[in-house]
Structures are given as C-alpha cells and as structure tokens.
Amino acid sequence: MTIQQPTPIRGARTRTARVPTKPHGQWAVDGNEPLNGNEEWKLDDNGLNVRERIESIYARGGFESIDPTDLHGRFRWWGLYTQRKPGIDGGRTAQLEPHELEDEYFMMRVRIDGGQLTTEQLRVIGEISTEFARDTADITDRQNVQLHWVEVQSVPEIWRRLEAVGLSTTEACGDVPRVILGSPVAGIAADELIDPTPQIREIADRFIGDRSLSNLPRKYKTAITGHPSQDVVHEINDCSFVAVEHPELGIGYDLWVAGALSVVPRLGERLGVFVTPDRVAEVWHGVTQIFRDYGYRRLRNKARLKFLLADWGVEKFREVLETEYLDSPLPDGPAAPKPTSIGDHVGIHAQKDGRFFVGAAPLVGRVSGSTLTALANLAEAHGSQRIRTTPHQKLLVLDIEESRIESLVKGLDEIGLSARPSLFRRGTIACTGIEFCKLAIVETKVNAAKAIEQLEERLGALEPEIGRPITLHVNGCPNSCARIQTADIGLKGQLVLIDGEQVPGYQVHLGGGLANVDREEAGLGRTVRGLKVPADGIADYAERVIRRYLADRESSDETFAVWAHRADEEALQ
C-alpha cells in the first residue's frame, strides 16, 4: 500500500519589506558600520580574542573579574554560557535582566564535529565532568556534549585536557560556524553512498577558528551526510550536503541552504546543484561568505540566513554563489530519494566490514561524566575504540564482533543506555530546560523522562500496534532547540492558562517531521487554537492523542503525522 504523505508546511512568512526604510546592515551593501550593540562589540574585538583574557585574567581573578561584554558575548566563541541561577521560576524569565538570571557557573559545550569520538576522548570528557562539572553531561541534538557547573577558574585546565586528545570548545557557540553535523555511521555503514568524513575534516581544519569567518550575523549551522537515511536533519541547517548519485557524474552531494527553526521556522531549500566531494569545502566557504557579507545585521531577530533566502529566492542565491564566490559554476543535480531507513541508528546494525555497531538511547540525552567514562571502558572491553554521538541525542558503539553484541547490550543497560528502547524512549528528545538555561520557562528533561516512564507503563502493550516511533520533542521556551516544529508531538514551553490559573506548560505542535522513511519531504507541525498542556501533563496528553490516532487512522500505514494534519481539532485535544 502507498503511504499517504502529510501536506508539507515549509515555514512562516520570513520576507522582509521590499523597500526597507532602514538599511539591513549588509556589509556588502551598507558597509560595516555597526547598527546595534552586538555588532559594535563584535567589531571592536574579535570574539576569539577572549581566550587569552580567560587564561591570563579571568581564571585567576574569578567570576567577579570578568568584563560584562566578554561574559555575555565573547565567552560564547569558546563554548561558554553562564547558566541559570537556581530557584528562579519561569514566570520571571522575561522580567529579569541577564545578570539577574545568571549564576557564577558556566555551561560548557564540547565541540564534536561529525559526532566522532575515540574512547580516549570520551573518557577525558567523562573525567572532566566528574572533576570540574559535578558529574553533569548532556548529549545534545547537535552531537555535542554539554557540561554544567563549570567555574571560570577551571577553564584553562579543561581546555588543556580536551586539546591534548584533539577536542576543543572553539566556536561551539556564538555568531560563528557551529559544530558540523555528520552522519554517525560515516565510513562504516553497509549501505552508505559516500563517507563524508574527509569533507567534514577539511571544513573543520581550514575554517573553524578562521578570523575571517568569526563575525557572522548570527549562528551558522552545517550538516553533511553520505547515508541514505539522511540522518543529519539537513532541512533545518544553514548549509547542508546530502549524498546523491548523479546519472553522469557519480556520487556527490545535493546542496541545501537556509533552514532554521526558532520562533520563525523555515525549512531549507535545494539550490538544485550537484557538488562533487572535492568542491564541498569551497562551496561551504562560499555559502558562509554570502551569509557574512549579505546577511542582515541590523536586527538580531532577522539575522539568520533564512531571511536573506526568503528575500532573494533560490535563483539569485545560486547566481551570487557561483559568480561572486566560486571558481566555476556548479552543474545541475538531482534531489536525493526518500530515505530508506530510520536515521537515529538505534539498535544493532551490520557494518560493511562484517562487524556491527550498536545504537543506544539515553533518557532524553541526559547522562553523566561517570556514564561516559563507563561507556568508554565498556566499549574497550568489547573491542571497540570508537563512539559516535547523533543528532537525535543517541550514542553508537562501533566495531563490535557479532559474538559480543549481547554482552555489550547487557552492559549498556546496566549504565542506563538502552539498545532496545521502547518506542517512547527512542522517539523523545528534550532541550536543557529551566534547570540550567536562562531563556527557559519550563522544566524539560525531568518532565520528559517522567512522561517516557508513564507512557511505557500505559501504552507499552500497544507498541506492536503503533509500529514506529512517534517523536515527542520537549522544549523549555519558544526557541526550538529541541526542534518542536518537526516532531510528531512538539511541546513549546511557556506559561499557559489551565482552569483560569497561569502555570508552566507547553503549546502543542502536531504532525511535523523531516524527510524520513515514512515521508517524502519535511513539513512543520500544526497548532490547534487553545491547545495547551500543563508541565506535569505530558504523558496524559500524549496517551490521549496516540489512542485517538490508533482509533481513527485509516490503516496501519497511515502515520501519526498524516493523521494529525487531517484530523479535526476536537480529535487533537
């Protein structure tokens, strides 16, 4: 039976005024005269320069010695944000100034391009966590590891240990090229079209830390995959390369640009070009320079690449790329076909060398330094020295002999990582939430973990009938770090009115999703007027709407997303 596809919703209106009354702050058009405070301090002193001050001044003088502009701005260029002070409820998030919300501790983001780690590197992160970060560690949906409770006095020693094993926090945050998402099964998958690792490494080696690209209008996200599952959420990145076979030119990449979510979501678009592997770095550099030179800088809320593409259109973007930034034009190219498998890589899978990789699910990405150290030890005890993180808050152990799979799976269970998770654990991700994030309004990790436990108890017997993961993404604020608009059930943290009382809760998005084995193309979820869920009611709502889906779907092939887009609002309450 042909699976019905949901009607794709590609994004909100993002076009700016056709005749702007003020300049957009495009360097190539308006010059680089700063038009707001952020642009002023970025131009005054490159964000990368703050490292020397951290090492020579702030680590010695402590939190009180930090210059406020460095603290709230340039620290991000080295993966550091102040974390939320405990005890401040979500109702005060929008009422207080940043310095009133922040604690004297930092979130530190360890950059892991392509999600590729050795067990030695993983062990070092785990040891740093236990020694300097109160044993905290989160696997993010951008393949990084985030630590908390880090003191500025510890930062130079943390950098020394990370860099000794080839890791860094360079440009892990800030208005810079962020971590490069890469297929977690790069170089090992039996069905891989191409190994993107050389392209990821070339971009990272040549351009991360490059001062000519360290003052972009806003953050800039990259994704590259050579796997037919399209496992790097390419539609919501600024610059993405998806493996495809050209009928005449062989295997290369389809180029996507200008995807992003946040409060004004917009899915990326194909430029319709074919990029050979040897030109990926050049093309990436060209797209990045377009953003640097033509991106909008006057207003921070209009400074993402999606707004420029909305105004220019695909044809102009391609023309500027090819005529101003590339050595030669790019050939036209085909789109990649619909994904052939689920891209989270959970479970046991054959590698092309006859060994296996095992994908395991933490609870909503939350682990600990102790867990990471135990995972490194467990992998090595089973003959592996390679770990991968995924864009779905999962972990993979590579290079396992078939005879050792069950022993590894048992060991993973013992440290809280499930290679055979329930559909609910497999499909749920959550952002940092109010525990640590200054922007959050609602708790996420704890609420989502409780919901998983409750759904396993209430709906576990129905998993064969459900048949596939129903993705549940929980976000603590409207900024969509947990990709709420592209989930089957996306929950956006906010204060909601329940029975006349304002309480922490979530607005509901339904039926979103990126291209996957069940859908041809990405689309955003729908919202239902007045539909809100209290913070402690995630499982109650999810159970209710999943049961209604099972009762109302037209066949077992109809996905939750298809049903959610066609269902009456009453059915979604």
Side-chain angles (χ1 to χ4, degrees):
M1 176 181 292
T2 300
I3 298 176
Q4 182 184 356
Q5 298 294 314
T7 301
I9 300 174
R10 298 203 61 82
R13 179 179 175 86
T14 52
R15 292 180 65 85
T16 54
R18 288 191 175 277
V19 184
T21 57
K22 295 181 179 179
H24 286 310
Q26 297 168 282
W27 280 1
V29 177
D30 307 310
N32 62 0
E33 184 69 25
L35 297 174
N36 60 53
N38 279 281
E39 290 301 311
E40 286 180 5
W41 63 253
K42 287 197 294 178
L43 204 59
D44 284 345
D45 185 31
N46 192 297
L48 293 172
N49 292 338
V50 79
R51 174 162 178 160
E52 191 277 332
R53 293 192 288 277
I54 292 173
E55 293 177 321
S56 64
I57 300 173
Y58 304 143
R60 298 177 182 178
F63 189 86
E64 293 299 324
S65 69
I66 304 173
D67 174 81
T69 303
D70 283 347
L71 180 67
H72 300 124
R74 299 183 187 97
F75 267 49
R76 299 178 185 183
W77 272 241
W78 290 95
L80 294 163
Y81 285 97
T82 50
Q83 68 186 40
R84 188 186 190 93
K85 188 179 297 182
I88 301 176
D89 65 63
R92 302 178 67 196
T93 295
Q95 299 172 358
L96 299 178
E97 296 297 322
H99 71 275
E100 296 175 297
L101 285 164
E102 70 191 4
D103 209 344
E104 295 185 2
Y105 299 93
F106 292 88
M107 179 276 286
M108 172 179 273
R109 186 174 294 158
V110 181
R111 182 184 185 115
I112 306 171
D113 290 299
Q116 299 191 16
L117 287 168
T118 65
T119 49
E120 179 188 19
Q121 290 172 326
L122 185 67
R123 184 178 291 106
V124 167
I125 296 173
E127 291 171 349
I128 288 170
S129 167
T130 55
E131 187 170 345
F132 299 109
R134 300 189 188 181
D135 206 27
T136 58
D138 288 336
I139 308 299
T140 76
D141 60 9
R142 292 200 63 79
Q143 296 180 280
N144 295 311
V145 175
Q146 284 184 184
L147 309 176
H148 298 281
W149 298 109
V150 173
E151 296 178 298
V152 70
Q153 294 93 326
S154 306
V155 170
E157 175 61 14
I158 293 174
W159 281 338
R160 186 192 69 77
R161 294 191 192 186
L162 289 174
E163 290 166 2
V165 293
L167 294 172
S168 80
T169 68
T170 310
E171 297 186 333
C173 312
D175 297 350
V176 293
R178 303 282 185 93
V179 67
I180 304 165
L181 295 187
S183 171
V185 296
I188 63 162
D191 55 347
E192 181 178 58
L193 290 172
I194 186 173
D195 179 0
T197 303
Q199 287 79 59
I200 294 171
R201 287 179 176 167
E202 183 178 5
I203 293 171
D205 291 346
R206 288 179 57 186
F207 300 117
I208 302 310
D210 181 343
R211 290 172 179 271
S212 72
L213 301 177
S214 61
N215 182 358
L216 301 178
R218 283 288 301 277
K219 57 189 172 185
Y220 181 77
K221 298 180 177 181
T222 304
I224 308 177
T225 183
H227 196 262
S229 66
Q230 298 174 21
D231 49 5
V232 292
V233 297
H234 63 277
E235 303 99 326
I236 55 173
N237 281 264
D238 295 284
C239 182
S240 298
F241 299 86
V242 179
V244 65
E245 184 171 6
H246 192 285
E248 299 171 356
L249 302 175
I251 304 294
Y253 297 94
D254 185 29
L255 175 62
W256 291 65
V257 298
L261 294 179
S262 193
V263 295
V264 185
R266 193 175 196 275
L267 296 172
E269 297 189 52
R270 298 180 57 242
L271 285 196
V273 299
F274 180 77
V275 184
T276 55
D278 62 304
R279 296 195 71 184
V280 166
E282 176 200 359
V283 171
W284 179 90
H285 192 211
V287 174
T288 310
Q289 289 177 97
I290 287 177
F291 183 43
R292 179 195 64 195
D293 298 342
Y294 289 100
Y296 301 152
R297 294 175 181 262
R298 184 172 68 87
L299 300 174
R300 292 282 290 175
N301 63 357
K302 298 287 186 182
R304 293 296 301 275
L305 189 60
K306 61 187 173 184
F307 293 98
L308 180 67
L309 183 70
D311 283 346
W312 275 11
V314 168
E315 290 185 7
K316 180 176 179 180
F317 196 103
R318 178 176 176 177
E319 178 186 3
V320 172
L321 175 65
E322 293 181 325
T323 59
E324 296 186 27
Y325 294 95
L326 300 184
D327 293 336
S328 59
L330 297 165
D332 293 339
K338 187 178 78 169
T340 57
S341 59
I342 297 177
D344 64 5
H345 303 299
V346 169
I348 299 156
H349 305 268
Q351 297 180 182
K352 60 187 177 184
D353 64 1
R355 293 179 293 180
F356 292 79
F357 69 88
V358 178
L363 267 176
V364 294
R366 169 113 328 147
V367 286
S368 66
S370 302
T371 301
L372 297 181
T373 302
L375 176 59
N377 294 337
L378 180 67
E380 289 178 354
H382 287 79
S384 171
Q385 294 185 324
R386 295 197 291 173
I387 303 292
R388 300 278 170 88
T389 58
T390 85
H392 302 279
Q393 296 183 339
K394 306 299 188 288
L395 288 159
L396 312 186
V397 182
L398 311 189
D399 307 329
I400 302 300
E401 298 292 342
E402 186 172 10
S403 62
R404 309 185 80 174
I405 289 172
E406 291 307 319
S407 173
L408 175 66
V409 169
K410 181 176 182 293
L412 289 169
D413 280 332
E414 290 171 353
I415 61 173
L417 304 172
S418 177
R420 297 187 178 104
S422 69
L423 294 180
F424 310 107
R425 180 166 177 163
R426 182 173 182 173
T428 302
I429 68 173
C431 74
T432 302
I434 201 170
E435 181 179 8
F436 296 119
C437 179
K438 300 192 298 294
L439 300 178
I441 302 166
V442 185
E443 172 55 55
T444 55
K445 297 282 191 186
V446 172
N447 290 345
K450 288 180 179 176
I452 291 169
E453 181 180 358
Q454 293 167 336
L455 289 170
E456 288 173 341
E457 180 180 339
R458 300 177 192 179
L459 298 179
L462 294 177
E463 284 202 16
E465 186 177 350
I466 295 170
R468 55 175 66 85
I470 293 176
T471 53
L472 172 64
H473 294 187
V474 185
N475 212 78
C477 77
N479 288 320
S480 201
C481 294
R483 310 195 297 254
I484 51 175
Q485 300 97 334
T486 59
D488 288 312
I489 304 172
L491 301 177
K492 178 173 71 179
Q494 60 184 61
L495 297 178
V496 301
L497 201 62
I498 304 290
D499 297 327
E501 182 181 358
Q502 195 174 58
V503 298
Y506 308 95
Q507 182 189 51
V508 181
H509 295 249
L510 293 164
L514 302 177
N516 60 55
V517 69
D518 287 325
R519 62 188 297 159
E520 296 282 352
E521 59 181 304
L524 304 178
R526 66 181 286 196
T527 57
V528 176
R529 186 186 303 274
L531 178 54
K532 305 290 190 295
V533 174
D536 60 358
I538 295 175
D540 293 338
Y541 176 74
E543 178 189 5
R544 188 163 65 244
V545 75
I546 290 171
R547 287 188 183 277
R548 185 63 183 263
Y549 154 66
L550 293 175
D552 290 358
R553 63 183 179 179
E554 294 179 345
S555 73
S556 61
D557 289 325
E558 184 175 43
T559 65
F560 183 91
V562 170
W563 171 79
H565 278 283
R566 73 167 177 81
D568 294 335
E569 291 191 355
E570 175 274 331
L572 303 176
Q573 295 293 331

